[in-house]
Amino acid sequence: MRNGDSKLVLIAGGAGFLGSHLCDALLSEGAHVVALDSFLTGRKQNLRHLEREPRFDLVEGDVVRPLSELLKLKKLKFDQVFNLACAASPPHYQASPEHTMLTSVVGTHNLLTLSEDVGARFFLASTSEIYGDPEVHPQKESYWGHVNPTGPRACYDEGKRAAETLTFDFDRSGRADVRVARIFNTYGPRMRADDGRVVSNMICQALAGDDITIYGEGSQTRSFCYVSDLIDGFMRLMSYEGKFPGAVNLGNPVELTVGDLARCVLSMTGSKSRIVTRPLPVDDPRRRRPDISRAQQLLNWTPGTSLDAGLRETIKWFSGEQERENKPVRTPISSKPPVPASPA
Ligand code: UDP
């Protein structure tokens, strides 16, 4: 399977938004990549351009299942194992919360065990969601978070927290060499139109002339990182030599309100869409911004793509999707936010 000296890399979740960009980056560095995906939210079309690539293989399977059942994955001597396998947008991960939790916990355990067996370096795609609705701002890696363990977001937040726990237990006992990235809101080409997240929703709504949905008053903030910057962070983290001290935040620290994002998308698309409000989902974090000093110091990483440039690329990509489909690409679940808050 391996070509000469090239690295053999497994990407669980390889057909997803981030996973497919990571496949491209690793292949362009000469690696042999095996993408594993259940296609629950990942899509074959994200990898279609790699169909004839001799250093690329795609395996269908769910990381919750024993990996030995999947193409004898345990027999392959991977150098690196990336775990990006999990639905990540609130409407998708809340659609099947039990499966979301098991994906993070059992899936991470399966992939850690595989890494231990073959001596691979293991990467966990963790999330800013582990900070919950943060009481510390901006969020540093040393902050333990403020998560509601029984709410509708818990399947994802607590699942990822448990995945981090497992990962650092393997690390502490010397069973695997691990890297943990806490990913903040990321956007770019290959997001799904029905992802339900704010950037894809607003761009698709603006392009289709549909109402732009702001959940709550739009005063909540997020910090949006362009996908190529994030993938560059992944690559630097995975090639960091020596023991990496704990988890690392990867995100763009430029913070804006959801209302400002809506106005930005409207002006960049020239759309005549109206802005409408919808109920704020339960436990929706009020503020989020990464402190990236650890990534800057240890990885020499700073996201370089401005919101303007990143949104322009993303709008261009969704417009292309419309042309390919010859109809507006709509966001079917956008008018239905994940579990709205009941009136207090
Ligand atoms: N949001 C919104 N309109 C939408 C989708 C999301 O106002 O059509 C809000 C959502 O309530 C949240 C923010 O935008 O406050 C970011 O939501 P997203 O689902 O993208 O990510 P997350 O909440 O996981 O950061």
Side-chain angles (χ1 to χ4, degrees):
M1 173 151 264
R2 189 188 307 247
N3 286 352
D5 291 337
S6 68
K7 270 193 297 237
L8 182 59
V9 182
L10 175 66
I11 307 178
F17 163 48
L18 299 182
S20 63
H21 285 284
L22 181 61
C23 288
D24 291 340
L26 284 160
L27 285 165
S28 73
E29 289 212 338
H32 188 128
V33 174
V34 179
L36 169 66
D37 209 291
S38 65
F39 300 112
L40 198 68
T41 55
R43 295 185 296 179
K44 289 201 171 111
Q45 68 201 64
N46 288 340
L47 300 171
R48 196 154 292 144
H49 60 290
L50 301 178
E51 262 166 13
R52 289 170 206 279
E53 168 57 62
R55 286 181 288 109
F56 180 72
D57 291 284
L58 177 59
V59 178
E60 181 164 357
D62 190 326
V63 289
V64 167
R65 309 286 315 148
L67 294 180
S68 49
E69 285 177 13
L70 299 171
L71 218 207
K72 309 279 176 278
L73 280 179
K74 291 197 81 132
K75 295 219 165 71
L76 298 176
K77 288 268 169 245
F78 292 108
D79 299 291
Q80 299 183 347
V81 170
F82 284 84
N83 182 10
L84 276 65
C86 194
S89 85
H92 285 153
Y93 70 63
Q94 289 172 20
S96 181
E98 185 181 343
H99 186 257
T100 299
M101 184 79 166
L102 293 176
T103 300
S104 278
V105 180
V106 178
T108 299
H109 188 256
N110 284 340
L111 291 162
L112 274 167
T113 307
L114 170 69
S115 303
E116 179 183 17
D117 289 349
V118 301
R121 181 170 289 173
F122 175 80
F123 175 104
L124 174 67
S126 185
T127 168
S128 57
E129 289 274 329
I130 66 111
Y131 300 123
D133 187 9
E135 291 162 312
V136 169
H137 194 80
Q139 292 79 55
K140 273 185 188 298
E141 291 87 351
S142 53
Y143 177 48
W144 289 355
H146 181 226
V147 172
N148 173 359
T150 58
R153 294 178 90 101
C155 58
Y156 187 70
D157 302 8
E158 297 289 15
K160 289 288 187 182
R161 287 170 71 94
E164 284 204 16
T165 305
L166 276 169
T167 304
F168 286 113
D169 279 330
F170 268 68
D171 174 57
R172 248 186 304 274
S173 52
R175 295 169 68 187
D177 174 18
V178 308
R179 304 285 185 273
V180 175
R182 293 185 181 151
I183 303 166
F184 285 64
N185 297 64
T186 304
Y187 68 100
R190 300 189 197 153
M191 289 185 96
R192 295 173 62 118
D194 67 355
D195 194 65
R197 272 184 285 199
V198 68
V199 173
S200 47
N201 272 9
M202 288 182 173
I203 291 178
C204 292
Q205 289 162 340
L207 291 176
D210 293 340
D211 292 345
I212 295 202
T213 52
I214 288 186
Y215 300 166
E217 291 171 7
S219 55
Q220 69 272 40
T221 68
R222 294 291 187 274
S223 308
F224 297 99
C225 185
Y226 189 63
V227 62
S228 57
D229 286 336
L230 184 81
I231 300 298
D232 175 44
F234 285 8
M235 302 290 282
R236 286 170 190 249
L237 177 57
M238 206 49 161
S239 50
Y240 179 91
E241 285 309 332
K243 193 173 163 59
F244 195 87
V248 64
N249 288 339
L250 293 180
N252 190 320
V254 176
E255 181 183 3
L256 75 163
T257 67
V258 163
D260 283 342
L261 177 71
R263 286 180 280 279
C264 207
V265 168
L266 267 182
S267 102
M268 290 182 75
T269 51
S271 168
K272 298 274 179 291
S273 291
R274 292 181 315 156
I275 293 184
V276 298
T277 57
R278 294 276 181 272
L280 191 68
V282 173
D283 295 337
D284 199 273
R286 283 159 298 170
R287 301 181 76 187
R288 185 182 290 155
R289 171 155 60 102
D291 178 319
I292 59 163
S293 26
R294 183 175 285 177
Q296 285 172 320
Q297 280 157 21
L298 295 177
L299 305 176
N300 194 23
W301 178 82
T302 303
T305 310
S306 66
L307 184 69
D308 207 59
L311 282 180
R312 201 170 313 118
E313 282 306 306
T314 312
I315 291 167
K316 197 158 79 183
W317 186 79
F318 274 117
S319 307
E321 288 285 278
Q322 285 203 347
E323 275 164 33
R324 278 186 286 280
E325 306 243 331
N326 204 18
K327 60 173 196 266
V329 186
R330 291 207 143 88
T331 59
I333 47 183
S334 63
S335 55
K336 195 170 143 281
V339 197
S342 48

